[in-house]
C-alpha cells in the first residue's frame, strides 16, 4: 500500500484533511489537493510530457490550476476576434496573456503541448511578460479548443490587452517591492547589531544574544527576499545555464550557513556575517526593482496609442444619429463627425469638407484640406466643419490600429543584448566553486574549522559583487551624466548597443527641422504699379516697408487671428514678433474650408488663402484686370514651391497683393551636427513622409547622401527592418507618433523630448530639450561606458587573481575576506566615476 504524502504531487501545496483525491499514474499512486490538480497531472502524463516535472525547479511551489472560463467559445466569433486578431483569414495570429506561468518549465510545457496540435503553426511563449504568440489554422482548430487545451494543463489564457498586461506587471513589481522592503528593514536593524559587535560586544556577555538576534533577522530575509535568486539559480541549472543568480545564491547561502555554524557551535575564533548576507540581498534587489519598473513602458506606449482611438461614434441610422461604441461599427456604416472631434474609424467623406489634423499619423504639422470623396483616418482630428463618412475600416483595420500592431510586434521581437559580465560569470562561478572545494579538501585533514573558514573565505572574497557592479555601476554613472546633459537612457543595455551603432536614420519634421511653421519670406505688390518686391524678414525689415505695405501686413495678421489654422497662427506670431501688430476689427468674416478666410474692413474685401480662390473672388468683384499681376506673382513664388515651402496669398481689394512663404526651418545647428557625425564615420539616412523634392532639398542642405521619402508609418518600420537585414545596427531618431513603430523596431530608438508622449515612450533614449548636438554626445557616452565596463571586469579579475590564492592558503579569515571583498567593488566604483570626469566640461542641460 502506498504511503500517503503530505503534499500535492502537482502543486506541492498541503493536502486536505477531509478528502482524499488520488490517482494511479504510470504505476505510481499520486495524491492531490484538488480535482483540478488531478486532472492537470493526468493530462500532462497522458500527453507524454511528464518531463515537465523534471524541469520544474526543486522546491518550486506551483499554483493550483486557475479557473477556466466556461464560455470560451465566445472567442471563436469573428466579431470578438476582430478586436484582437489582425487578419480574420484562414491562418490567424493572436497574442494571449497566460495566467499560471512561473518558470522555464511552464514555457516548455505550453510550447510542447501546442506543438502536438498539427493545426497550431506557431506557439512562442515570452516568459518575462507571460505572453503567448499564437498562429493557427482556423479551418482545422478553433481558438476556444486551444484555450481549453491550455486549461487542461493548468493555464488560463485570455486575449492580450495592454491594460490587463500592465496590471500583471504592476502585481509582479509590487511583490518585488515587498521583498526589497523586507530586506531593507532587516538591513537597518542588523546594522545596529553589527555596530555593537564591532564596538566590542563580541567579547562581552551579550555576544551570544546579538548572534541569535542576527540569526533571527537573517533567516526570514534569506528565505523571503532571497527567494527570486534561489529560484533563478535552480531554473538556470535545470536548463544547463549558469546565471548571475547562481553565485548570488551560493554566496548568500554559504555565508549564512557558516554564520549559523558559528552561532550553533559557539566558536570563539569565528565570526558571523549575517549583516553581509542581508545587505548583499538588499543592494541586489534594489537594482532588480529599478530594472523591473522599465518593463511597464512598453505597455504604456501601446496604451497611449490606444487612447488616440475614440471610444464612441455618432452612427447615422434612418436619418437619426445614435451614439454607439466604436467596436460595433461595421464597414459601410454611415457616421457623423463634428468639428473638434477625433475621427473614430477610417472612412470616405460623403458629405462636407474640412481641415484635418493628420500630424499623429504623418508627423507633418500642416493640416490637410479634405473634400467629398477623400479618405480620412481614425485618430485624426476634424478641425472644422461637419463630415458624413462611410466607414471603410475599424479598430485594428485602421491606419492607427496598424501602427499599434507594429509597435506591439516590434516590442515582442526585439532581443536584449547579453551583458559582457554575463558571458564571463558562468566560467567565474565554476572556477569559484572548484577553488572553494579544493581549499576545503586540502585543509580538511588539518582542521575542519580551518577548512571551512578557508572555503568560505574563497567564496566571500570571490563573491560576484565586483562582476555584478561592473556593468550596473558604469551604467548608473553614465545615465547620471547623461541626465545632467539632457540625455535620458531608459535601460542599461541601450548604452552597450549604442556603442556599436554606426548607422543613424533621421526623421525630418521636428527632428532635423524645428517643427514650427515660420514666415521666411514676404512678397508684396502695389496694384497700381503692378510691381513685386521680395522681403526677407530681419531686425530692420520693417523700415523697408512703406505705409501701405505695413497696413496690408497688419490687416493680414488681424484677419488671420480669427482662424485656428496652423499657418494663420504663424502669420499672427510673425506680426507680433516684429511688433507691427495692431488689432483692428473685421466684419462679415467667412472661413472657406480648404481655401482660406475672407472679411470686410472699411468697405474693402480682404482674403487670405490659395491663389486660385482669390482669383475667383477678384473676378466676382470685377477685378479681372489683375490677372497679369496674379500670373507674375505665381511665377515669383514657383521656386519656393519647388523647395517644398507653403505659400499663402493675401489680397486687399484695390490696394495690394502679398504672398507669405511659410517654412519649417532647419534646426540652427543641424548642419554642424551632421558634419560632425560624418567626421566620426557615421552613416546617415534621411527618412521622411514628405514629398521627394522637399526631402531631397533638405538632404542637399545637410549633405546627407541617402534619402528615403514619401513613406507612411508602416513603411518606416519596414525600411528599418530591411536595413537590419543587411547586418547593420540601426539608431532611429524621431519625434512623432508616426515614428513609434520605427523607434521600437530600430536597435536604438532616440526621441526628441519635444516630441509626442508615444514617441518618447517607444524610444530607448530621450533628448530632453530636443537638442541635436546630444546625439553624437550620446554615442560617445555609450562608447566610454562600454570601455569602462570592460575595464571594471578586468579589475575584478586582477583582484581575484591576487586575493584568492591568499584565501586558499588560509592566510585570510572570513572576517578579513569580508573586509577585503569591498576593495574590488571600490575599484570598480572609482573607475566608473571616471565617466563623470570625462564629461565634466559638458554644459548641463
Amino acid at each position: 500500500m502506498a504511503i500517503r504524502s503530505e503534499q500535492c504531487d502537482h502543486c506541492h501545496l498541503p493536502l486536505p484533511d477531509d478528502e482524499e483525491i488520488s490517482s494511479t499514474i504510470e504505476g505510481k499512486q499520486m495524491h492531490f489537493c484538488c480535482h483540478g490538480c488531478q486532472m492537470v497531472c493526468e493530462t500532462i502524463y497522458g500527453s507524454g510530457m511528464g518531463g515537465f516535472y523534471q524541469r520544474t525547479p526543486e522546491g518550486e511551489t506551483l499554483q493550483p490550476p486557475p479557473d477556466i472560463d466556461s464560455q470560451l467559445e465566445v472567442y471563436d466569433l469573428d466579431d470578438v476576434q476582430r478586436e484582437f486578431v489582425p487578419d480574420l483569414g484562414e491562418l490567424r495570429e493572436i497574442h494571449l496573456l497566460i495566467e499560471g506561468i512561473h518558470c522555464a518549465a511552464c514555457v516548455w510545457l505550453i510550447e510542447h503541448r501546442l506543438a502536438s496540435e498539427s493545426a497550431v503553426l506557431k506557439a512562442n511563449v515570452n516568459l518575462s511578460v507571460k505572453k503567448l504568440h499564437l498562429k493557427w489554422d482556423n479551418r482545422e482548430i478553433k481558438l476556444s479548443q486551444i484555450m481549453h487545451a491550455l486549461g487542461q494543463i493548468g493555464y488560463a489564457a485570455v486575449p492580450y490587452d495592454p491594460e490587463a498586461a500592465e496590471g500583471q506587471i504592476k502585481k509582479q513589481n509590487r511583490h518585488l517591492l515587498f521583498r526589497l522592503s523586507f530586506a531593507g528593514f532587516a538591513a537597518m536593524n542588523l546594522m545596529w547589531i553589527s555596530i555593537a559587535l564591532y564596538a566590542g560586544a563580541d567579547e562581552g556577555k551579550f555576544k551570544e544574544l546579538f548572534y541569535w538576534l542576527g540569526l533571527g533577522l537573517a533567516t526570514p530575509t534569506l528565505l523571503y527576499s532571497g527567494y527570486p535568486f534561489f529560484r533563478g539559480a535552480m531554473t538556470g541549472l535545470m536548463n544547463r545555464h549558469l546565471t548571475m543568480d547562481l553565485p548570488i545564491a551560493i554566496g548568500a547561502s554559504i555565508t549564512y550557513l557558516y554564520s549559523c555554524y558559528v552561532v550553533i557551535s559557539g566558536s570563539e575564533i569565528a565570526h558571523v556575517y549575517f549583516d553581509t548576507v542581508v545587505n548583499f540581498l538588499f543592494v541586489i534587489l534594489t537594482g532588480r526593482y529599478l530594472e523591473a519598473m522599465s518593463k511597464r513602458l512598453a505597455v504604456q506606449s501601446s496604451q497611449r496609442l490606444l487612447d488616440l482611438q475614440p471610444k464612441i461614434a455618432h452612427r447615422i441610422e434612418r436619418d437619426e444619429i445614435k451614439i454607439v461604441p466604436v467596436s460595433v461599427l461595421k464597414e459601410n456604416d454611415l457616421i457623423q463627425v463634428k468639428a473638434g472631434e477625433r475621427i473614430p474609424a477610417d472612412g470616405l467623406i460623403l458629405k462636407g469638407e474640412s481641415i484635418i489634423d493628420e500630424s499623429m499619423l504623418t508627423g507633418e504639422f500642416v493640416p490637410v484640406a479634405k473634400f467629398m470623396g477623400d479618405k480620412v483616418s481614425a485618430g485624426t482630428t476634424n478641425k472644422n466643419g461637419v463630415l458624413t463618412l462611410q466607414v471603410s475600416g475599424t479598430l485594428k483595420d485602421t491606419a492607427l490600429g496598424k501602427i499599434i500592431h507594429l509597435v506591439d510586434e516590434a516590442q515582442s521581437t526585439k532581443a536584449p543584448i547579453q551583458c559582457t559580465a554575463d558571458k564571463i560569470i558562468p566560467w567565474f562561478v565554476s572556477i569559484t566553486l572548484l577553488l572553494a572545494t579544493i581549499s576545503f579538501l586540502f585543509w580538511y585533514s588539518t582542521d575542519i574549522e580551518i577548512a571551512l573558514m578557508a572555503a568560505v573565505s574563497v567564496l566571500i572574497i570571490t563573491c560576484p559583487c565586483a562582476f555584478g557592479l561592473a556593468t550596473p555601476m558604469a551604467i548608473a554613472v553614465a545615465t547620471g551624466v547623461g541626465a545632467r546633459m539632457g540625455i535620458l537612457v531608459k535601460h542599461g543595455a541601450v548604452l552597450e548597443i549604442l556603442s556599436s551603432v554606426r548607422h543613424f536614420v533621421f526623421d525630418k519634421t521636428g527632428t532635423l527641422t524645428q517643427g514650427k511653421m515660420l514666415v521666411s519670406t514676404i512678397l508684396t505688390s502695389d496694384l497700381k504699379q503692378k510691381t513685386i518686391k521680395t522681403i526677407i524678414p530681419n531686425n530692420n525689415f520693417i523700415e523697408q516697408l512703406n505705409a501701405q505695405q505695413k497696413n496690408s501686413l497688419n490687416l493680414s495678421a488681424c484677419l488671420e487671428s480669427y482662424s485656428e489654422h496652423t499657418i494663420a497662427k504663424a502669420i499672427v506670431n510673425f506680426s507680433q514678433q516684429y511688433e507691427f501688430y495692431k488689432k483692428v476689427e473685421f466684419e462679415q468674416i467667412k472661413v472657406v474650408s480648404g481655401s482660406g478666410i475672407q472679411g470686410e474692413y472699411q468697405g474693402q474685401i480682404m482674403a487670405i488663402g490659395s491663389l486660385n480662390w482669390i482669383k475667383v473672388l477678384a473676378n466676382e468683384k470685377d477685378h479681372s484686370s489683375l490677372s497679369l499681376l496674379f500670373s507674375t506673382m505665381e511665377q515669383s513664388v514657383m521656386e519656393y514651391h519647388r523647395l517644398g515651402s507653403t505659400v499663402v496669398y493675401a489680397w486687399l481689394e484695390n490696394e495690394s497683393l502679398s504672398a507669405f512663404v511659410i517654412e519649417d526651418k532647419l534646426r540652427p545647428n543641424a548642419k554642424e551636427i551632421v558634419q560632425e557625425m560624418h567626421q566620426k564615420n557615421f552613416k546617415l539616412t534621411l527618412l521622411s513622409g514628405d514629398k521627394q523634392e522637399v526631402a531631397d532639398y533638405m538632404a542637399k542642405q545637410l549633405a546627407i547622401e541617402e534619402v528615403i521619402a514619401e513613406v507612411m508609418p508602416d513603411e518606416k518600420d519596414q525600411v528599418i527592418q530591411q536595413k537590419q537585414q543587411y547586418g547593420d545596427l540601426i539608431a532611429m531618431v524621431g519625434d512623432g507618433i508616426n515614428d513609434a513603430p520605427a523607434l521600437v523596431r530600430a536597435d536604438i530608438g532616440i526621441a526628441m523630448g519635444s516630441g509626442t508622449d508615444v514617441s518618447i515612450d517607444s524610444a530607448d533614449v530621450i533628448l530632453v530639450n530636443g537638442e541635436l548636438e546630444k546625439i553624437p554626445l550620446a554615442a560617445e557616452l555609450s562608447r566610454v561606458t562600454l570601455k569602462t565596463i570592460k575595464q571594471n571586469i578586468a579589475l575584478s579579475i586582477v583582484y581575484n587573481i591576487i586575493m584568492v590564492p591568499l584565501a586558499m592558503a588560509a592566510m585570510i579569515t572570513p572576517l578579513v575576506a569580508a573586509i577585503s571583498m569591498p576593495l574590488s567593488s571600490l575599484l570598480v566604483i572609482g573607475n566608473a566615476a571616471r565617466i563623470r570626469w570625462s564629461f565634466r566640461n559638458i554644459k548641463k542641460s
Side-chain angles (χ1 to χ4, degrees):
M1 180 178 178
I3 299 176
R4 184 176 186 267
S5 63
E6 297 299 325
Q7 294 180 333
C8 174
D9 283 310
H10 172 70
C11 68
H12 303 301
L13 292 178
L15 297 176
D17 296 327
D18 56 348
E19 183 181 10
E20 181 173 348
I21 304 171
S22 61
S23 293
T24 301
I25 301 176
E26 294 191 351
K28 180 181 177 182
Q29 187 76 6
M30 294 187 176
H31 301 272
F32 307 97
C33 64
C34 63
H35 291 285
C37 285
Q38 179 187 26
M39 178 193 71
V40 169
C41 187
E42 289 174 347
T43 301
I44 290 174
Y45 275 103
S47 302
M49 291 183 290
F52 164 72
Y53 294 104
Q54 281 72 53
R55 287 171 170 80
T56 303
E58 185 177 351
E60 182 76 65
T61 301
L62 309 182
Q63 294 294 325
D67 295 331
I68 308 301
D69 191 342
S70 60
Q71 298 181 345
L72 291 178
E73 285 73 16
V74 71
Y75 292 114
D76 294 334
L77 301 175
D78 286 351
D79 287 340
V80 175
Q81 287 192 19
R82 185 173 287 110
E83 190 173 350
F84 306 102
V85 178
D87 182 11
L88 295 176
E90 296 173 347
L91 303 181
R92 302 186 178 186
E93 291 187 57
I94 194 172
H95 286 89
L96 298 176
L97 194 63
I98 309 296
E99 181 184 351
I101 292 181
H102 66 282
C103 68
C106 296
V107 175
W108 178 87
L109 178 61
I110 292 171
E111 292 182 347
H112 279 70
R113 172 63 184 88
L114 296 183
S116 65
E117 300 286 348
S118 59
V120 175
L121 307 178
K122 180 168 68 173
N124 295 331
V125 178
N126 187 322
L127 177 60
S128 63
V129 294
K130 296 177 169 50
K131 189 163 66 173
L132 167 65
H133 185 194
L134 179 70
K135 184 176 182 179
W136 78 100
D137 189 333
N138 199 57
R139 296 168 299 181
E140 298 184 20
I141 190 171
K142 298 300 181 183
L143 181 60
S144 62
Q145 294 175 267
I146 298 173
M147 297 168 78
H148 272 301
L150 292 172
Q152 290 175 344
I153 56 174
Y155 304 98
V158 293
Y160 172 75
D161 176 71
E163 291 184 3
E166 185 175 7
Q168 183 69 19
I169 293 174
K170 283 183 178 179
K171 182 179 178 181
Q172 295 171 358
N173 290 350
R174 186 166 60 248
H175 287 316
L176 187 57
L177 183 59
F178 288 157
R179 298 183 194 276
L180 170 63
S181 301
F182 193 92
F185 170 79
M188 287 187 291
N189 285 277
L190 269 169
M191 179 181 67
W192 296 111
I193 295 175
S194 299
I195 291 173
L197 291 172
Y198 293 149
D202 59 337
E203 298 178 356
K205 60 182 179 179
F206 295 109
K207 171 184 174 180
E208 188 174 346
L209 173 62
F210 283 129
Y211 276 11
W212 281 103
L213 284 174
L215 176 61
L217 285 169
T219 301
T221 305
L222 183 67
L223 295 176
Y224 177 66
S225 298
Y227 172 73
F229 304 111
F230 291 110
R231 181 182 60 190
M234 290 301 297
T235 301
L237 289 175
M238 296 299 294
N239 288 277
R240 299 180 181 180
H241 180 67
L242 300 179
T243 66
M244 186 81 177
D245 287 328
L246 184 59
I248 294 173
I250 292 175
S253 299
I254 296 297
T255 307
Y256 170 79
L257 291 174
Y258 175 76
S259 300
C260 288
Y261 163 77
V262 172
V263 173
I264 295 171
S265 67
S267 173
E268 294 296 329
I269 63 171
H271 300 80
V272 295
Y273 305 99
F274 294 123
D275 56 336
T276 301
V277 175
V278 173
N279 289 335
F280 180 61
L281 290 175
F282 175 68
V283 171
I284 298 297
L285 281 172
T286 300
R288 289 283 176 94
Y289 178 73
L290 294 175
E291 180 182 355
M293 291 299 292
S294 66
K295 290 182 180 179
R296 294 182 58 190
L297 294 174
V299 172
Q300 288 176 342
S301 62
S302 294
Q303 187 59 45
R304 287 187 186 276
L305 286 168
L306 288 171
D307 289 342
L308 292 173
Q309 171 77 62
K311 302 297 186 291
I312 62 170
H314 296 89
R315 186 165 63 184
I316 301 173
E317 300 178 4
R318 298 178 182 177
D319 297 329
E320 292 184 5
I321 298 176
K322 294 184 178 181
I323 298 177
V324 299
V326 171
S327 58
V328 304
L329 289 180
K330 297 180 180 178
E331 193 171 345
N332 297 323
D333 278 354
L334 300 183
I335 58 175
Q336 184 185 82
V337 183
K338 299 177 182 178
E341 293 181 345
R342 287 192 183 276
I343 296 173
D346 285 2
L348 194 71
I349 299 178
L350 298 183
K351 182 180 179 182
E353 55 186 43
S354 181
I355 300 295
I356 305 297
D357 180 2
E358 295 184 333
S359 59
M360 53 75 62
L361 276 181
T362 65
E364 307 302 326
F365 288 86
V366 182
V368 180
K370 295 288 185 178
F371 305 95
M372 287 179 56
D374 287 343
K375 295 180 180 179
V376 292
S377 300
T380 57
T381 303
N382 178 22
K383 302 293 286 186
N384 51 27
V386 178
L387 299 176
T388 299
L389 308 179
Q390 182 181 34
V391 175
S392 60
T394 62
L395 298 174
K396 290 189 177 297
D397 294 327
T398 65
L400 175 62
K402 291 174 182 176
I403 290 178
I404 295 172
H405 174 70
L406 284 169
V407 171
D408 282 338
E409 187 68 21
Q411 287 171 343
S412 66
T413 56
K414 180 185 284 188
I417 192 170
Q418 185 181 16
C419 289
T420 306
D422 284 342
K423 299 174 184 177
I424 298 176
I425 280 176
W427 299 98
F428 172 79
V429 173
S430 301
I431 294 172
T432 299
L433 294 174
L434 178 63
L435 294 177
T437 303
I438 292 173
S439 300
F440 181 82
L441 294 175
F442 179 81
W443 291 104
Y444 181 78
S445 59
T446 304
D447 187 286
I448 187 171
E449 187 161 332
I450 294 177
L452 186 60
M453 290 176 67
V456 171
S457 295
V458 171
L459 286 171
I460 291 177
I461 212 162
T462 56
C463 182
C465 285
F467 279 107
L469 287 172
T471 300
M473 191 64 209
I475 287 173
V477 174
T479 51
V481 170
R484 179 176 64 88
M485 298 185 297
I487 303 169
L488 298 184
V489 179
K490 285 191 176 180
H491 51 89
V494 168
L495 291 169
E496 193 170 359
I497 303 172
L498 184 56
S499 66
S500 302
V501 170
R502 307 303 304 169
H503 191 165
F504 285 79
V505 177
F506 287 90
D507 173 54
K508 181 182 76 70
T509 304
T511 303
L512 293 172
T513 67
Q514 298 176 18
K516 298 177 182 178
M517 306 303 291
L518 300 172
V519 177
S520 64
T521 307
I522 301 172
L523 291 87
T524 65
S525 68
D526 188 313
L527 297 186
K528 296 178 181 179
Q529 298 178 359
K530 294 182 173 56
T531 57
I532 295 176
K533 181 179 181 181
T534 301
I535 302 171
I536 307 297
N538 51 44
N539 291 335
N540 61 351
F541 95 98
I542 296 296
E543 300 173 3
Q544 306 173 32
L545 305 177
N546 57 38
Q548 184 187 52
Q549 291 169 334
K550 290 179 182 178
N551 180 58
S552 176
L553 293 181
N554 180 60
L555 291 178
S556 299
C558 292
L559 181 56
E560 289 284 44
S561 68
Y562 291 94
S563 173
E564 292 297 319
H565 198 284
T566 308
I567 292 177
K569 292 180 179 179
I571 294 174
V572 173
N573 292 337
F574 170 76
S575 67
Q576 293 172 342
Q577 178 185 353
Y578 288 100
E579 301 179 350
F580 63 82
Y581 182 79
K582 294 179 181 179
K583 182 66 175 177
V584 299
E585 299 295 331
F586 278 81
E587 297 176 349
Q588 299 183 17
I589 298 168
K590 181 181 179 182
V591 177
V592 181
S593 295
S595 297
I597 184 171
Q598 71 179 76
E600 188 173 313
Y601 175 70
Q602 296 181 351
Q604 291 178 296
I605 296 295
M606 185 168 198
I608 304 176
S610 69
L611 187 60
N612 289 335
W613 175 63
I614 289 177
K615 285 180 181 179
V616 173
L617 284 179
N619 289 331
E620 289 176 355
K621 298 296 180 179
D622 198 23
H623 293 292
S624 56
S625 60
L626 298 176
S627 58
L628 180 60
L629 180 61
F630 286 146
S631 298
T632 305
M633 180 67 79
E634 198 167 10
Q635 289 293 325
S636 300
V637 301
M638 189 174 294
E639 180 67 12
Y640 297 107
H641 279 299
R642 191 186 68 80
L643 297 178
S645 299
T646 301
V647 181
V648 293
Y649 301 83
W651 172 59
L652 179 59
E653 189 178 18
N654 298 322
E655 287 199 21
S656 66
L657 176 67
S658 304
F660 294 89
V661 179
I662 312 294
E663 293 182 356
D664 184 9
K665 291 188 175 180
L666 281 173
R667 290 177 180 265
N669 57 350
K671 292 182 180 179
E672 290 78 3
I673 299 306
V674 169
Q675 184 179 4
E676 179 185 348
M677 297 187 74
H678 276 310
Q679 290 172 352
K680 293 183 177 180
N681 296 320
F682 288 114
K683 183 179 180 181
L684 305 181
T685 298
L686 177 62
L687 183 64
S688 176
D690 216 330
K691 296 179 180 179
Q692 186 69 50
E693 56 266 27
V694 176
D696 286 340
Y697 178 73
M698 181 74 65
K700 185 177 180 181
Q701 284 185 294
L702 295 171
I704 296 177
E705 295 180 359
E706 185 177 24
V707 182
I708 304 174
E710 300 181 22
V711 290
M712 292 300 289
D714 56 333
E715 293 172 337
K716 285 187 177 183
D717 171 77
Q718 292 169 15
V719 168
I720 298 297
Q721 195 171 19
Q722 288 169 2
K723 291 189 174 299
Q724 288 173 325
Q725 290 173 355
Y726 291 110
D728 290 347
L729 288 176
I730 304 295
M732 171 72 191
V733 187
D735 76 320
I737 291 175
N738 61 307
D739 298 321
L743 287 170
V744 177
R745 177 71 67 183
D747 298 282
I748 294 294
I750 302 176
M752 313 300 283
S754 54
T756 63
D757 287 343
V758 173
S759 68
I760 289 173
D761 284 343
S762 300
D764 303 301
V765 178
I766 303 165
L767 307 181
V768 177
N769 295 323
E771 298 169 310
L772 276 178
E773 62 266 27
K774 299 302 169 64
I775 295 176
L777 197 60
E780 178 63 16
L781 178 63
S782 67
R783 188 192 65 79
V784 172
T785 302
L786 184 62
K787 180 180 178 182
T788 302
I789 290 173
K790 293 178 179 179
Q791 290 174 346
N792 285 346
I793 293 173
L795 285 171
S796 302
I797 293 174
V798 170
Y799 167 85
N800 284 290
I801 289 174
I802 296 172
M803 300 302 293
V804 170
L806 296 176
M808 293 182 67
M811 299 175 66
I812 295 178
T813 65
L815 178 61
V816 174
I819 295 172
S820 303
M821 181 185 66
L823 292 178
S824 60
S825 299
L826 290 174
L827 287 171
V828 166
I829 292 170
N831 189 52
R834 291 174 58 247
I835 297 175
R836 186 180 294 112
W837 181 259
S838 301
F839 292 87
R840 66 190 182 281
N841 294 324
I842 302 299
K843 181 181 176 181
K844 290 186 179 181
S845 183

